[in-house]
Amino acid sequence: MLKIENLTKYYGDKAAVKDLNLSIAPGEIYGFIGHNGAGKTTTLKSIAGILKFDSGDIYVDGHSVKADPIACKKVMAYIPDNPDLYEYMSGIRFLNFVADVYGVDAARRGELIQRYGDALELTDSLAQNISEYSHGMKQKLAIISALIHEPKLILMDEPFVGLDPVASHTVKRLMREMCDDGGAIFFSTHVLEVAEKLCDKVAIIKNGELIRSGTMEEVRGDESLESVFLELQE
Amino acid sequence: MLKVLLKKQMYEMLSGILTNRRTGKRRSAGALAGFAILFAFAGISMSFGFGALYLLTATTLAGGPDVPGQLLPVEYGGLYFAFTGIITLMLGIIGGMFTTYSILYMPRDNELLLSMPVKPSVILASRMLSVYLMIVIYTVLSYVPAVAVFFISSGFRTDVLLMSLVMYIAMTFFVLALSCFLGWLLALIAAKLGSKKVVTVVSVLVTAFAYYFFYFGRNQVMKLITDDPANAVRVFRTTPLLVFFSYGEGSGGSWLYFLIFLGIVAASMSLAMLLLSGSFIALVTTRKGRKKKVYVARTARTNSALGALFRREIKRFVTDPGYFINSGFGSIVFIVAAVIAAFNTPGLRSLIASMQNPAGEGPSVAISPAMLPVTVLSATALVLFWTPISASSVSLEGNRLWILKTMPVSTTGILAMKLAVHELFAGIPAAIFVTAAGIILEMGVLPTVLLCVAALSFAALAGSFGLMLETHNPKLDWTDENVAIKQNYNVLFVMLAGFGITTLFGAFIPICMFFPVVLIPALVFQAAVAAGLSVLFFRISARLWETL
């Protein structure tokens, strides 16, 4: 579903990501962990088509992000760490806007908005302006907007920040369901317990370089993910 | 504390000039010099325009051009400055009043600052700096030529220089106080009714009223002064125009009126500060009267991807008072001008006829009918470049740019929708205006049609030029949306380009005067050049968007 080949991205003279290689298969929840400034967001934004990268390539569902970004974006969704949304729109207008852009028909979008809105307890607030939403509500709306076009791959940057425990639990369930249906999720997190419980695979990045990746068992061995992570960061 | 906040405010204002946002590096001395030259060019051009108006006023008060060497009489010095005060106030209002609400009440750092040990009056005072500087930048363009023309007309006087300077500074604070009142009123309406739409409507009404008041009021005052200066002095003294009379007499050397005007300004500022600081926390935190709307599911009306983007651009433009007022003012001007012209058709036709067949004494020259379309087109092009809707459309994406960047829509599609909204709100009103002008001034079918096409082409040119500047150097890191509009140098550059374009294509006016036969080729040429440049600028914009 996602293949990253030798991804390198510089900011000026500083390499934010160096020669990164990674593959995610359908059905996998892939965690991406690393210290602040390690290159997680840069990697996610490069995959999402927000950032141009200097070398290497990224393939989403077989399409190159460099050569055919539109095809990649059609099957992908991105949820940023800070969900800045159009505050002049109501929640439902924003969802309809996203659904229009992705070509979701009226019946299907209605069904999905109801399903995910109810699951995240946001349905009643959809008529309100986004400017009146709390951070958590905006995060929920961003998650619903990512799900309503039924992407094959979802990129999430710190998806649980700002969510209450119930919503957090629901999002984890939805992530699992999506992957059980053949989708894939690549998400960054600082909460190692979440990564440990939720992910099928995990990658650890340090100073822009991938220092370990694989299944949870391969990465942590007999230790906890936290111990491995701290060891690797030293 | 005030110093810290003022530094932050200044940094926010100057960061666009001093730093290249694309590279994050400080601009070179050459680039900064370029900025300075452009600013100076814009300022000097506008000052010369006001200077010409003031010279006409001073000459009239001095007895007219038929009395060579006649100085501006001492007793009319105050009247002269009173008139310049009206223009100064008008410019100050353009500069500050309509964004005060957003700048004072809407920044994103409200909660951050309120959580800090800072008095509301200090937060307000620091934010007022932005408004105040805009007021100064605009009003100084009127003050400098006003004083210069006064000295040319009646000789240099040190007391007038000093007193007029103090009066000018006082005038800037008077405008600031008026701006604060309006900002406070809009914030109160927004908090009580919980609707930004009402704020938009009120802003538009106030703008329309202010435009009407100043445009027609200025003409009436000008007529009053030129018809009978002695009577004008009486009228100024006995009506609300006393404010301007005090300003004028104070600038002209009268200590009594000098003190009266300072008193008026001090009272206005004190009242404004009292009102604003007393209600600041309540207004920025209250959401009273906002009834929670409960979503009721219904079948959505679907749109194509481009249709959705187009609707989104329209929604943002019409629901944002700052954006609508500052960038869409030309749209209103076109429509109002077309309506006024339609109501004054006989008068306009007889005026044009008299210019084409001048009679009586004097060195009058008959103007050619072929001059009319190219003159109308030049004026239209200028107003179109002064309607810079697209020139802040990328900056306004701000932190939300990621949404467009991650969507499966082509760059040309995204930018085309921004340009389409520019055409809708600038091009279409311009086309209506030139069509009305063509019919009212009896220009003929072909010139009117070509004029219409040329107006749409110039709208596309202004729009694509704005997009090119925006994709090259957008101002995305704002904390207050108005920074992306009002303190956006791309907007200024588009407006400056308007002068250049008008000057360049204005050359067709004398050409058509002497060679009427070139009218049709001239209109076709202008439309084609504008369309060609639009395509070029649009392509460059699309390339630049990819690098954002």
Side-chain angles (χ1 to χ4, degrees):
Chain A
M1 182 60 63
L2 173 68
K3 192 174 179 191
I4 303 174
E5 285 182 354
N6 306 316
L7 175 70
T8 300
K9 167 73 187 171
Y10 281 92
Y11 290 117
D13 300 333
K14 187 180 175 276
V17 179
K18 278 181 273 184
D19 231 10
L20 192 139
N21 289 282
L22 197 84
S23 285
I24 301 179
E28 284 180 351
I29 299 181
Y30 212 123
F32 198 30
I33 56 180
H35 60 86
N36 292 329
K40 300 186 297 295
T41 300
T42 299
T43 305
L44 288 171
K45 284 185 173 178
S46 299
I47 303 167
I50 299 171
L51 283 179
K52 292 274 170 203
F53 41 91
D54 297 292
S55 62
D57 207 344
I58 298 166
Y59 298 91
V60 177
D61 202 25
H63 303 283
S64 159
V65 168
K66 251 184 186 170
D68 194 358
I70 303 289
C72 295
K73 289 173 184 179
K74 275 183 183 165
V75 295
M76 181 168 60
Y78 170 72
I79 301 167
D81 54 346
N82 197 3
D84 284 303
L85 307 174
Y86 301 133
E87 305 224 333
Y88 51 87
M89 288 186 180
S90 64
I92 187 64
R93 189 183 275 268
F94 178 70
L95 293 178
N96 276 317
F97 166 69
V98 174
D100 280 339
V101 170
Y102 283 89
V104 183
D105 68 58
R108 186 66 181 150
R109 82 173 64 167
E111 191 186 315
L112 293 173
I113 288 171
Q114 192 72 48
R115 183 199 298 172
Y116 295 127
D118 289 350
L120 290 167
E121 297 176 334
L122 195 68
T123 310
D124 283 351
S125 306
L126 287 177
Q128 277 177 260
N129 251 32
I130 296 173
S131 58
E132 296 165 41
Y133 281 18
S134 66
H135 180 91
M137 289 165 87
K138 284 180 193 168
Q139 185 74 357
K140 287 177 185 178
L141 189 69
I143 291 169
I144 298 171
S145 72
L147 292 168
I148 53 166
H149 58 92
E150 301 177 276
K152 291 181 179 175
L153 171 69
I154 298 186
L155 309 168
M156 301 167 125
D157 198 354
E158 296 290 349
F160 306 107
V161 174
L163 292 181
D164 59 61
V166 176
S168 192
H169 176 77
T170 307
V171 170
K172 286 176 210 161
R173 179 174 59 80
L174 292 173
M175 286 167 77
R176 188 74 267 167
E177 282 174 10
M178 184 202 155
C179 291
D180 288 347
D181 289 342
I185 289 173
F186 187 37
F187 79 103
S188 73
T189 183
H190 284 124
V191 190
L192 300 179
E193 291 79 7
V194 170
E196 208 160 7
K197 283 182 188 161
L198 191 65
C199 298
D200 302 305
K201 284 185 176 175
V202 67
I204 301 176
I205 187 171
K206 183 183 177 185
N207 298 329
E209 290 181 87
L210 202 64
I211 51 174
R212 192 170 287 189
S213 65
T215 62
M216 194 57 73
E217 290 71 28
E218 285 169 352
V219 170
R220 73 179 175 191
D222 295 332
E223 299 178 75
S224 71
L225 187 59
E226 187 178 27
S227 310
V228 174
F229 180 75
L230 292 174
E231 254 173 49
L232 290 170
Q233 296 302 312
E234 281 170 7
Chain B
M1 185 53 73
L2 180 63
K3 202 175 153 190
V4 174
L5 292 182
L6 287 176
K7 267 175 79 176
K8 176 231 155 214
Q9 207 73 21
M10 284 298 286
Y11 178 77
E12 208 166 282
M13 289 182 76
L14 294 176
S15 62
I17 299 177
L18 300 176
T19 315
N20 183 331
R21 289 192 180 81
R22 186 174 285 274
T23 60
K25 289 179 182 166
R26 214 177 151 81
R27 285 188 199 280
S28 64
L32 291 175
F35 265 112
I37 290 167
L38 275 167
F39 270 112
F41 171 73
I44 291 168
S45 306
M46 288 182 76
S47 288
F48 267 104
F50 291 119
L53 179 68
Y54 297 155
L55 196 59
L56 177 70
T57 312
T59 311
T60 309
L61 286 170
D66 298 337
V67 191
Q70 171 74 53
L71 293 178
L72 178 66
V74 175
E75 65 269 28
Y76 293 148
L79 199 58
Y80 165 81
F81 274 117
F83 177 71
T84 67
I86 293 173
I87 306 290
T88 307
L89 182 88
M90 180 183 79
L91 284 171
I93 283 171
I94 293 170
M97 188 176 268
F98 300 115
T99 51
T100 311
Y101 160 63
S102 310
I103 290 175
L104 295 187
Y105 293 98
M106 298 299 283
R108 287 187 191 171
D109 57 0
N110 269 340
E111 289 179 6
L112 175 71
L113 294 180
L114 285 176
S115 70
M116 291 176 165
V118 190
K119 285 182 187 169
S121 56
V122 174
I123 299 174
L124 274 168
S126 69
R127 288 179 181 174
M128 278 180 188
L129 175 75
S130 296
V131 181
Y132 183 71
L133 285 180
M134 294 303 288
I135 291 170
V136 169
I137 288 169
Y138 276 77
T139 52
V140 79
L141 302 176
S142 163
Y143 168 69
V144 172
V147 176
V149 167
F150 180 84
F151 290 147
I152 291 168
S153 308
S154 63
F156 179 78
R157 278 169 54 194
T158 311
D159 63 327
V160 170
L161 178 66
L162 294 175
M163 290 175 84
S164 69
L165 184 63
V166 175
M167 287 286 93
Y168 162 69
I169 293 168
M171 176 61 92
T172 56
F173 279 101
F174 184 61
V175 178
L176 182 64
L178 291 180
S179 300
C180 288
F181 282 128
L182 182 70
W184 172 81
L185 188 68
L186 292 178
L188 190 70
I189 293 169
K192 293 284 178 198
L193 300 179
S195 167
K196 259 181 112 177
K197 283 177 193 163
V198 180
V199 174
T200 310
V201 171
V202 173
S203 300
V204 170
L205 288 176
V206 170
T207 308
F209 175 76
Y211 179 76
Y212 177 85
F213 178 78
F214 283 112
Y215 183 77
F216 292 99
R218 186 202 69 179
N219 288 350
Q220 279 182 345
V221 170
M222 185 85 182
K223 192 171 183 307
L224 182 73
I225 291 172
T226 50
D227 282 356
D228 183 357
N231 180 46
V233 171
R234 274 193 299 278
V235 172
F236 265 86
R237 273 188 181 146
T238 52
T239 63
L241 289 172
L242 177 67
V243 177
F244 299 107
F245 190 70
S246 308
Y247 170 82
E249 288 289 327
S251 300
S254 161
W255 283 101
L256 175 65
Y257 284 105
F258 181 84
L259 293 174
I260 289 175
F261 189 69
L262 286 184
I264 292 170
V265 174
S268 310
M269 270 310 289
S270 307
L271 196 61
M273 279 308 287
L274 204 67
L275 197 65
L276 268 67
S277 50
S279 59
F280 182 69
I281 294 178
L283 288 179
V284 295
T285 55
T286 303
R287 294 286 180 268
K288 257 184 195 170
R290 198 169 290 186
K291 198 175 156 189
K292 187 184 171 183
K293 284 188 224 163
V294 177
Y295 169 66
V296 180
R298 59 173 73 92
T299 307
R301 201 176 59 191
T302 57
N303 290 285
S304 65
L306 292 183
L309 289 172
F310 184 59
R311 284 163 61 97
R312 182 195 75 109
E313 294 286 344
I314 291 177
K315 172 128 181 98
R316 186 177 57 188
F317 181 63
V318 299
T319 55
D320 184 335
Y323 191 18
F324 188 82
I325 298 292
N326 284 290
S327 303
F329 193 61
S331 321
I332 301 168
V333 169
F334 280 128
I335 299 297
V336 170
V339 171
I340 290 174
F343 277 105
N344 293 293
T345 302
L348 282 170
R349 282 182 180 167
S350 77
L351 177 72
I352 296 296
S354 69
M355 289 166 84
Q356 287 170 0
N357 304 294
E361 296 173 0
S364 301
V365 177
I367 65 159
S368 160
M371 276 175 72
L372 275 179
V374 280
T375 307
V376 167
L377 184 57
S378 279
T380 304
L382 184 65
V383 178
L384 279 169
F385 275 81
W386 282 63
T387 311
I389 297 169
S390 71
S392 48
S393 63
V394 177
S395 295
L396 279 167
E397 300 292 345
N399 292 336
R400 302 162 304 201
L401 187 66
W402 69 270
I403 299 174
L404 290 181
K405 296 288 272 181
T406 56
M407 286 185 152
V409 191
S410 67
T411 297
T412 48
I414 292 167
L415 296 180
M417 291 308 105
K418 289 184 184 294
L419 195 57
V421 169
H422 187 97
E423 275 289 342
L424 179 68
F425 289 101
I428 301 293
I432 291 170
F433 168 71
V434 295
T435 306
I439 294 167
I440 291 163
L441 302 179
E442 297 171 311
M443 292 178 192
V445 176
L446 185 58
T448 304
V449 170
L450 288 174
L451 205 49
C452 203
V453 173
L456 291 170
S457 293
F458 274 106
L461 177 60
S464 57
F465 184 60
L467 275 182
M468 186 177 70
L469 296 176
E470 277 282 89
T471 46
H472 177 252
N473 192 22
K475 198 174 176 70
L476 296 165
D477 54 350
W478 40 265
T479 52
D480 164 25
E481 212 163 66
N482 271 287
V483 171
I485 304 161
K486 198 105 187 183
Q487 292 166 24
N488 185 340
Y489 305 106
N490 298 326
V491 171
L492 180 73
F493 291 154
V494 170
M495 292 167 92
L496 278 176
F499 283 122
I501 289 285
T502 312
T503 310
L504 208 64
F505 287 102
F508 282 106
I509 298 172
I511 294 173
C512 288
M513 163 92 182
F514 296 107
F515 307 102
V517 72
V518 301
L519 171 65
I520 299 299
L523 290 174
V524 171
F525 175 77
Q526 292 189 66
V529 169
L533 285 173
S534 305
V535 173
L536 177 69
F537 292 155
F538 186 81
R539 283 187 175 171
I540 296 171
S541 308
R543 219 172 48 231
L544 290 169
W545 172 270
E546 296 291 338
T547 64
L548 282 179

